[in-house]
Amino acid sequence: MNTYGRYPVRLVRGSGARAWDDTGKEYLDFISGIAVNTLGHAHPALVRAISEQAQTMLHCSNLFHIPAQEKLAEKLTRLAGIERAFFCNSGAEANEAAIKLMRKYWYDQHSPRRTIITATRSFHGRTLNTLTATGQDKVKTGFDPLPPGFIHVPLGNMNALKQAVGDDTAGILLEPVQGEGGVNVVADAYLRGVRKLCNDTGILMVLDEVQTGVGRTGEMFGFEHTGMRPDILTLAKGLGGGVPIGAMLASESVAASFGPGTHGCTFGGNPLSCTAALTVIDVIEQEGLLENARTQGGHLLLGLKAIQRTHPVMQEIRGQGLLIGAELSCDVAETIARCRESGLLLLPAGPKVLRFLPPLNVTSAEIDEALTILGDCLGTDYIGTDGGSS
Ligand SMILES: *Cc1c(COP(=O)(O)O)cnc(C)c1O
């Protein structure tokens, strides 16, 4: 079905931060399959681990204990400091699980709390609940009747949030950096304020780290920048390094509301996807990729700021780790197309923001190369324009 506005390229092969199309043209891949290819393309350790797992067992279902799933649950819960894990296949599924768990938690306490508060410009997925949770109208049009029980508040405004919290509030669902919504970094102080509000009222704090999780921001989880942790955490995109897997972590007392029969997922946490995720986390640790994400993220930010000085079309530059956005004063589509033709793959975050998502093992030479291509593609004909109609 025609659900995607696709680029006119067929990628067939990749290695690290590079990919090749079916004509043999080489690209520097700063999309990484939308923050999925954490280790770049064809990382040897990931290739080896999933090949060996495929020769052993791909799937057996959650009717059985699954050793790789147990190891992954142990690893993630220890790293996050959140006691329990549930596995699924995607970001939307992880958020659906979080929405169900929030509601069930209050149901079990005979409380009427059902409403979930989310932020404007957020993105939480494409299922009916997660698109309703999403704070952008463009994903909702045509899909009514939408499920009830979601309200939106302007991101970063603590007074608006306090006013929105009522006797029916079950929890607050936020991204620590809004990815799809424009690379909007949420202030640490705001997130700590949300944590305090949740502590004071007893409502649940849920962080959607589907895009920010697994090293993208320079910490294993984005919440680690803030010195507090959520009650529920969702992960997906980068977790399997390209193998589909999602996860929802929850604190012991909240997770207790999911007993046998309350939720499930046939494919969730199968031996293949859990082996992939374990390998991704191992490689992040062994190759120092959190440190690399911070260093190269800083390098990319500085390089973009240097371009900004000679190209007034480039407005605000923002981000965390290797999730970086550069807002242009014009639509980004033409710049993205030019970069692609010149061998650099970038994606938008909304109409005016260029989004950079290189793999966590990107090198500074690759970043320099990307910056050179971008500088050339922004071109002098863009300077001073605001319509981007050059
Ligand atoms: C991509 C994304 C989702 C949806 O994930 P899917 O795997 O496409 O369902 C949810 N939340 C955030 C923050 C995302 O970036």
Side-chain angles (χ1 to χ4, degrees):
M1 294 196 192
N2 191 25
T3 46
Y4 306 102
R6 296 182 198 267
Y7 299 141
V9 174
R10 285 182 176 74
L11 295 180
V12 292
R13 184 167 68 85
S15 175
R18 293 185 194 272
W20 288 266
D21 71 14
D22 58 351
T23 71
K25 182 174 162 70
E26 181 177 311
Y27 300 88
L28 204 44
D29 183 0
F30 275 30
I31 296 178
S32 302
I34 318 184
V36 165
N37 302 323
T38 307
L39 309 180
H41 296 281
H43 190 286
L46 186 55
V47 171
R48 198 179 323 113
I50 61 179
S51 306
E52 281 170 11
Q53 189 57 51
Q55 289 166 44
T56 312
M57 180 179 276
L58 286 176
H59 181 82
C60 61
S61 90
N62 286 299
L63 293 168
F64 302 93
H65 294 274
I66 300 172
Q69 189 186 115
E70 289 168 348
K71 272 172 93 175
L72 180 60
E74 240 166 65
K75 187 105 205 180
L76 286 174
T77 54
R78 190 168 47 72
L79 286 170
I82 302 175
E83 294 95 353
R84 295 274 161 180
F86 174 85
F87 295 102
C88 52
N89 308 294
S90 69
E93 275 185 43
N95 288 333
E96 280 282 340
I99 291 163
K100 284 181 69 176
L101 182 57
M102 275 190 266
R103 299 244 173 94
K104 184 65 165 42
Y105 172 79
W106 290 112
Y107 171 89
D108 286 351
Q109 299 185 41
H110 311 288
S111 160
R113 294 186 178 277
R114 295 291 182 275
T115 301
I116 292 152
I117 300 175
T118 70
T120 51
R121 296 191 294 177
S122 60
F123 184 81
H124 299 296
R126 298 282 191 166
T127 61
L128 279 169
N129 271 307
T130 58
L131 75 80
T132 307
T134 294
Q136 302 182 56
D137 288 337
K138 65 179 185 191
V139 304
K140 307 186 198 212
T141 308
F143 298 113
D144 60 304
L146 300 177
F150 295 92
I151 57 172
H152 304 99
V153 293
L155 184 67
N157 182 333
M158 190 50 72
N159 279 335
L161 179 61
K162 282 181 175 157
Q163 272 169 22
V165 171
D167 295 341
D168 62 340
T169 307
I172 300 167
L173 168 64
L174 295 171
E175 299 154 89
V177 182
Q178 292 185 328
E180 307 300 312
V183 191
N184 307 311
V185 183
V186 183
D188 290 350
Y190 179 76
L191 290 172
R192 284 196 295 271
V194 174
R195 178 69 274 177
K196 184 172 183 308
L197 181 63
C198 290
N199 290 348
D200 293 347
T201 53
I203 62 176
L204 300 174
M205 178 169 185
V206 185
L207 286 184
D208 175 350
E209 295 225 30
V210 167
Q211 188 154 163
T212 54
V214 198
R216 180 54 54 188
T217 67
E219 296 287 353
M220 191 60 84
F221 308 106
F223 74 76
E224 293 176 80
H225 296 280
T226 67
M228 59 86 207
R229 61 171 61 85
D231 302 298
I232 301 177
L233 175 74
T234 58
L235 303 169
K237 287 193 166 86
L239 182 56
V243 178
I245 180 168
M248 173 187 61
L249 306 191
S251 64
E252 185 83 54
S253 60
V254 177
S257 288
F258 265 6
T262 49
H263 194 52
C265 184
T266 301
F267 290 121
N270 82 13
L272 183 79
S273 61
C274 289
T275 297
L278 277 166
T279 307
V280 167
I281 294 168
D282 282 350
V283 171
I284 288 174
E285 289 176 339
Q286 286 158 14
E287 297 186 3
L289 297 187
L290 299 180
E291 166 90 55
N292 193 62
R294 292 192 288 268
T295 310
Q296 301 309 336
H299 184 54
L300 179 52
L301 267 181
L302 280 180
L304 289 170
K305 288 196 170 145
I307 291 178
Q308 185 185 40
R309 284 195 285 277
T310 50
H311 296 78
V313 68
M314 204 179 260
Q315 313 270 297
E316 200 187 20
I317 296 158
R318 53 191 185 244
Q320 206 171 40
L322 285 170
L323 169 50
I324 292 178
E327 183 153 351
L328 303 190
S329 56
C330 62
D331 197 282
V332 293
E334 192 175 332
T335 302
I336 286 176
R338 286 195 203 189
C339 286
R340 188 173 61 241
E341 280 151 26
S342 305
L344 171 64
L345 300 178
L346 296 178
L347 76 168
K352 291 193 164 183
V353 180
L354 291 172
R355 186 166 26 152
F356 302 80
L357 292 166
L360 303 191
N361 51 8
V362 70
T363 64
S364 47
E366 286 161 345
I367 289 195
D368 290 340
E369 196 182 327
L371 288 165
T372 302
I373 295 172
L374 178 66
D376 291 349
C377 289
L378 282 172
T380 49
D381 49 337
Y382 269 95
I383 290 180
T385 71
D386 57 10
S389 54
S390 54

PDB file of all heavy atoms in Angstrom, residues 151-168:
ATOM      1  N   ILE A 151      -5.303  13.394  27.122  1.00  0.00           N
ATOM      2  CA  ILE A 151      -5.284  14.843  26.958  1.00  0.00           C
ATOM      3  C   ILE A 151      -3.836  15.304  26.748  1.00  0.00           C
ATOM      4  O   ILE A 151      -2.897  14.609  27.132  1.00  0.00           O
ATOM      5  CB  ILE A 151      -5.923  15.603  28.148  1.00  0.00           C
ATOM      6  CG1 ILE A 151      -5.234  15.253  29.456  1.00  0.00           C
ATOM      7  CG2 ILE A 151      -7.411  15.350  28.243  1.00  0.00           C
ATOM      8  CD1 ILE A 151      -5.720  16.125  30.616  1.00  0.00           C
ATOM      9  N   HIS A 152      -3.671  16.460  26.124  1.00  0.00           N
ATOM     10  CA  HIS A 152      -2.339  16.971  25.795  1.00  0.00           C
ATOM     11  C   HIS A 152      -2.075  18.282  26.508  1.00  0.00           C
ATOM     12  O   HIS A 152      -2.973  19.087  26.667  1.00  0.00           O
ATOM     13  CB  HIS A 152      -2.209  17.166  24.283  1.00  0.00           C
ATOM     14  CG  HIS A 152      -2.495  15.918  23.520  1.00  0.00           C
ATOM     15  ND1 HIS A 152      -3.702  15.680  22.926  1.00  0.00           N
ATOM     16  CD2 HIS A 152      -1.750  14.827  23.304  1.00  0.00           C
ATOM     17  CE1 HIS A 152      -3.695  14.493  22.368  1.00  0.00           C
ATOM     18  NE2 HIS A 152      -2.516  13.950  22.577  1.00  0.00           N
ATOM     19  N   VAL A 153      -0.817  18.461  26.917  1.00  0.00           N
ATOM     20  CA  VAL A 153      -0.406  19.727  27.528  1.00  0.00           C
ATOM     21  C   VAL A 153       0.801  20.271  26.772  1.00  0.00           C
ATOM     22  O   VAL A 153       1.561  19.491  26.201  1.00  0.00           O
ATOM     23  CB  VAL A 153      -0.027  19.545  29.023  1.00  0.00           C
ATOM     24  CG1 VAL A 153      -1.238  19.172  29.850  1.00  0.00           C
ATOM     25  CG2 VAL A 153       1.094  18.534  29.188  1.00  0.00           C
ATOM     26  N   PRO A 154       0.967  21.600  26.759  1.00  0.00           N
ATOM     27  CA  PRO A 154       2.157  22.161  26.104  1.00  0.00           C
ATOM     28  C   PRO A 154       3.417  21.698  26.835  1.00  0.00           C
ATOM     29  O   PRO A 154       3.498  21.800  28.062  1.00  0.00           O
ATOM     30  CB  PRO A 154       1.962  23.677  26.193  1.00  0.00           C
ATOM     31  CG  PRO A 154       0.855  23.906  27.163  1.00  0.00           C
ATOM     32  CD  PRO A 154       0.073  22.642  27.297  1.00  0.00           C
ATOM     33  N   LEU A 155       4.375  21.188  26.077  1.00  0.00           N
ATOM     34  CA  LEU A 155       5.584  20.616  26.665  1.00  0.00           C
ATOM     35  C   LEU A 155       6.396  21.683  27.400  1.00  0.00           C
ATOM     36  O   LEU A 155       6.604  22.779  26.886  1.00  0.00           O
ATOM     37  CB  LEU A 155       6.432  19.998  25.550  1.00  0.00           C
ATOM     38  CG  LEU A 155       7.684  19.263  25.996  1.00  0.00           C
ATOM     39  CD1 LEU A 155       7.318  18.009  26.766  1.00  0.00           C
ATOM     40  CD2 LEU A 155       8.533  18.896  24.791  1.00  0.00           C
ATOM     41  N   GLY A 156       6.830  21.363  28.605  1.00  0.00           N
ATOM     42  CA  GLY A 156       7.730  22.254  29.329  1.00  0.00           C
ATOM     43  C   GLY A 156       7.025  23.247  30.241  1.00  0.00           C
ATOM     44  O   GLY A 156       7.682  23.966  30.982  1.00  0.00           O
ATOM     45  N   ASN A 157       5.707  23.278  30.196  1.00  0.00           N
ATOM     46  CA  ASN A 157       4.952  24.245  31.013  1.00  0.00           C
ATOM     47  C   ASN A 157       4.388  23.537  32.253  1.00  0.00           C
ATOM     48  O   ASN A 157       3.379  22.838  32.188  1.00  0.00           O
ATOM     49  CB  ASN A 157       3.830  24.856  30.156  1.00  0.00           C
ATOM     50  CG  ASN A 157       3.031  25.905  30.913  1.00  0.00           C
ATOM     51  OD1 ASN A 157       2.937  25.871  32.144  1.00  0.00           O
ATOM     52  ND2 ASN A 157       2.463  26.843  30.183  1.00  0.00           N
ATOM     53  N   MET A 158       5.052  23.721  33.387  1.00  0.00           N
ATOM     54  CA  MET A 158       4.684  22.994  34.602  1.00  0.00           C
ATOM     55  C   MET A 158       3.319  23.416  35.129  1.00  0.00           C
ATOM     56  O   MET A 158       2.561  22.587  35.624  1.00  0.00           O
ATOM     57  CB  MET A 158       5.786  23.188  35.659  1.00  0.00           C
ATOM     58  CG  MET A 158       5.673  22.302  36.876  1.00  0.00           C
ATOM     59  SD  MET A 158       5.435  20.538  36.540  1.00  0.00           S
ATOM     60  CE  MET A 158       7.045  20.081  35.951  1.00  0.00           C
ATOM     61  N   ASN A 159       2.980  24.713  34.993  1.00  0.00           N
ATOM     62  CA  ASN A 159       1.665  25.158  35.462  1.00  0.00           C
ATOM     63  C   ASN A 159       0.543  24.492  34.675  1.00  0.00           C
ATOM     64  O   ASN A 159      -0.450  24.039  35.254  1.00  0.00           O
ATOM     65  CB  ASN A 159       1.533  26.679  35.348  1.00  0.00           C
ATOM     66  CG  ASN A 159       2.206  27.356  36.524  1.00  0.00           C
ATOM     67  OD1 ASN A 159       2.347  26.746  37.594  1.00  0.00           O
ATOM     68  ND2 ASN A 159       2.634  28.587  36.322  1.00  0.00           N
ATOM     69  N   ALA A 160       0.714  24.432  33.348  1.00  0.00           N
ATOM     70  CA  ALA A 160      -0.311  23.790  32.511  1.00  0.00           C
ATOM     71  C   ALA A 160      -0.464  22.328  32.898  1.00  0.00           C
ATOM     72  O   ALA A 160      -1.578  21.789  32.953  1.00  0.00           O
ATOM     73  CB  ALA A 160       0.077  23.916  31.035  1.00  0.00           C
ATOM     74  N   LEU A 161       0.654  21.676  33.212  1.00  0.00           N
ATOM     75  CA  LEU A 161       0.596  20.269  33.596  1.00  0.00           C
ATOM     76  C   LEU A 161      -0.137  20.105  34.923  1.00  0.00           C
ATOM     77  O   LEU A 161      -1.014  19.247  35.062  1.00  0.00           O
ATOM     78  CB  LEU A 161       2.015  19.686  33.671  1.00  0.00           C
ATOM     79  CG  LEU A 161       2.092  18.226  34.098  1.00  0.00           C
ATOM     80  CD1 LEU A 161       1.344  17.321  33.122  1.00  0.00           C
ATOM     81  CD2 LEU A 161       3.551  17.767  34.201  1.00  0.00           C
ATOM     82  N   LYS A 162       0.206  20.960  35.878  1.00  0.00           N
ATOM     83  CA  LYS A 162      -0.443  20.865  37.190  1.00  0.00           C
ATOM     84  C   LYS A 162      -1.946  21.063  37.073  1.00  0.00           C
ATOM     85  O   LYS A 162      -2.726  20.400  37.756  1.00  0.00           O
ATOM     86  CB  LYS A 162       0.155  21.897  38.160  1.00  0.00           C
ATOM     87  CG  LYS A 162       1.511  21.438  38.699  1.00  0.00           C
ATOM     88  CD  LYS A 162       2.101  22.434  39.685  1.00  0.00           C
ATOM     89  CE  LYS A 162       3.396  21.869  40.286  1.00  0.00           C
ATOM     90  NZ  LYS A 162       4.276  22.928  40.798  1.00  0.00           N
ATOM     91  N   GLN A 163      -2.340  22.005  36.188  1.00  0.00           N
ATOM     92  CA  GLN A 163      -3.771  22.246  36.005  1.00  0.00           C
ATOM     93  C   GLN A 163      -4.475  21.070  35.343  1.00  0.00           C
ATOM     94  O   GLN A 163      -5.654  20.822  35.576  1.00  0.00           O
ATOM     95  CB  GLN A 163      -3.983  23.504  35.165  1.00  0.00           C
ATOM     96  CG  GLN A 163      -4.017  24.745  36.038  1.00  0.00           C
ATOM     97  CD  GLN A 163      -3.956  26.020  35.223  1.00  0.00           C
ATOM     98  OE1 GLN A 163      -4.289  26.027  34.039  1.00  0.00           O
ATOM     99  NE2 GLN A 163      -3.525  27.097  35.845  1.00  0.00           N
ATOM    100  N   ALA A 164      -3.716  20.358  34.496  1.00  0.00           N
ATOM    101  CA  ALA A 164      -4.325  19.235  33.763  1.00  0.00           C
ATOM    102  C   ALA A 164      -4.507  18.006  34.644  1.00  0.00           C
ATOM    103  O   ALA A 164      -5.361  17.163  34.376  1.00  0.00           O
ATOM    104  CB  ALA A 164      -3.468  18.888  32.548  1.00  0.00           C
ATOM    105  N   VAL A 165      -3.691  17.877  35.679  1.00  0.00           N
ATOM    106  CA  VAL A 165      -3.784  16.707  36.554  1.00  0.00           C
ATOM    107  C   VAL A 165      -5.034  16.806  37.413  1.00  0.00           C
ATOM    108  O   VAL A 165      -5.280  17.830  38.052  1.00  0.00           O
ATOM    109  CB  VAL A 165      -2.526  16.587  37.453  1.00  0.00           C
ATOM    110  CG1 VAL A 165      -2.715  15.512  38.523  1.00  0.00           C
ATOM    111  CG2 VAL A 165      -1.299  16.269  36.600  1.00  0.00           C
ATOM    112  N   GLY A 166      -5.844  15.758  37.383  1.00  0.00           N
ATOM    113  CA  GLY A 166      -7.075  15.746  38.178  1.00  0.00           C
ATOM    114  C   GLY A 166      -7.310  14.392  38.813  1.00  0.00           C
ATOM    115  O   GLY A 166      -6.422  13.527  38.782  1.00  0.00           O
ATOM    116  N   ASP A 167      -8.519  14.205  39.339  1.00  0.00           N
ATOM    117  CA  ASP A 167      -8.852  12.954  40.022  1.00  0.00           C
ATOM    118  C   ASP A 167      -8.918  11.767  39.075  1.00  0.00           C
ATOM    119  O   ASP A 167      -8.945  10.620  39.518  1.00  0.00           O
ATOM    120  CB  ASP A 167     -10.217  13.083  40.721  1.00  0.00           C
ATOM    121  CG  ASP A 167     -10.163  14.116  41.839  1.00  0.00           C
ATOM    122  OD1 ASP A 167      -9.046  14.425  42.292  1.00  0.00           O
ATOM    123  OD2 ASP A 167     -11.235  14.619  42.223  1.00  0.00           O
ATOM    124  N   ASP A 168      -8.998  12.075  37.761  1.00  0.00           N
ATOM    125  CA  ASP A 168      -9.097  10.990  36.782  1.00  0.00           C
ATOM    126  C   ASP A 168      -7.748  10.668  36.129  1.00  0.00           C
ATOM    127  O   ASP A 168      -7.657   9.825  35.257  1.00  0.00           O
ATOM    128  CB  ASP A 168     -10.118  11.365  35.705  1.00  0.00           C
ATOM    129  CG  ASP A 168      -9.700  12.613  34.924  1.00  0.00           C
ATOM    130  OD1 ASP A 168      -8.855  13.390  35.444  1.00  0.00           O
ATOM    131  OD2 ASP A 168     -10.187  12.818  33.804  1.00  0.00           O
TER     132      ASP A 168
END
